[in-house]
Amino acid sequence: AYLQTDGVPAGPPSPQLSTDATLAPNSHTLMMRGGDNLVVSIRDTSQGLLTSVADLNTGRIGFMVASAANGFMNTNPNTCNGQPFNFHPEYSTASQQNQVPWAALEGGVLMQQEIGHFESCNRVTHPLGLPFDPATRQTCIGGLEPGKVGEGPCNSNGCKGATTEGGGPCPDTASLCEFSDAICAPKGPRSVTINGKTETWSWPIAACEQDFFQNGDLDFDGNSYVADWPDGSRNHPTTFKYAGPFDAHGNTYPSIQIETDVAGSENDCNVVTGVGCTALPHGAAFYPYWTIGKGPSLGNGNHLCVWNFGNTIPNVTVNTLGGVAEYGTPNVARYAGTVISPVMANPQLSANCHS
């Protein structure tokens, strides 16, 4: 569910009852802007997990409780049926041994980035057939598919041009394949129908999300895997500055691990032995990483040390943590699709962030 200023979900948040309204922001949905300063809080309540975000620039606060009263449901893995459920944290403390068996990432207090769902195009083709969004397409032409057609379309006879890690053709026995670029949308305004009402949505460029026939950019050639991440360049985005996480008493955690589960999406990765499980993925030109950089001024030439995500930023980054090598090695003792560093002293606490 979206974070709402009134705490009421925009639509039913359970998989069994979700509607178009679930994914359609309304007038109570907290909207934030790039550059805003946010205070994020996640804590347990008797009704369920409470997440809130206070936007210090606008003064608006959005929050959501993952409760049965708000329509959250637990799903039976055998029948897919749901029942109203109050979600609570699995553990009451942060410890390395805390695990959840159904998760790829290690359990913990996590700051997590979801990437691999965007590929810019010159144009898009092959209608997808969504009645509420009829302009959507299946295939990316040009852009990051230079000189060639991307993946798709898919129909009852299969998928045309499916590729796998590194851009090779998808073997008959492979499951981690990019079958289609869908959902794709053209540049400019388009009409969509949400809850019986017509709205105008607009994308500044033609692009594909690669989330309809498979989960993500599984040949690793989209925007997430090229070096257009924050690096101080004027034509690249600026980084966010992350000061946390903090415990309930406002203390920074003394030790951390850095991890990624990208290898679990790699066709070349053997999730038992760790062979082929890499960050950078095969086929990617770049993979973003965490750095320590200079944040707000504390006076006397000192700055708060904060986390950045993306690329090295001249005159800001004070510790690259080894770049992409910071992710470590496959965790073959548990799940080799997770590439994870050893436990380390929190570098945010020891970095020198002088001017």
Side-chain angles (χ1 to χ4, degrees), residues 266-306:
E266 298 181 56
N267 188 68
D268 296 351
C269 170
N270 184 319
V271 297
V272 176
T273 66
V275 173
C277 304
T278 60
L280 190 108
H282 176 210
F286 181 80
Y287 194 74
Y289 51 87
W290 289 96
T291 61
I292 301 294
K294 291 183 289 189
S297 174
L298 299 174
N300 300 320
N302 295 321
H303 291 257
L304 179 69
C305 290
V306 296

Side-chain angles (χ1 to χ4, degrees), residues 131-190:
F132 66 92
D133 193 359
T136 52
R137 298 291 186 266
Q138 285 208 43
T139 307
C140 180
I141 306 290
L144 289 184
E145 299 279 4
K148 66 185 182 75
V149 176
E151 291 74 30
C154 294
N155 54 39
S156 58
N157 296 319
C159 299
K160 182 177 181 180
T163 58
T164 189
E165 184 173 14
C170 182
D172 291 339
T173 57
S175 59
L176 292 174
C177 294
E178 189 168 313
F179 298 107
S180 166
D181 294 320
I183 297 175
C184 303
K187 176 181 178 179
R190 68 186 195 272

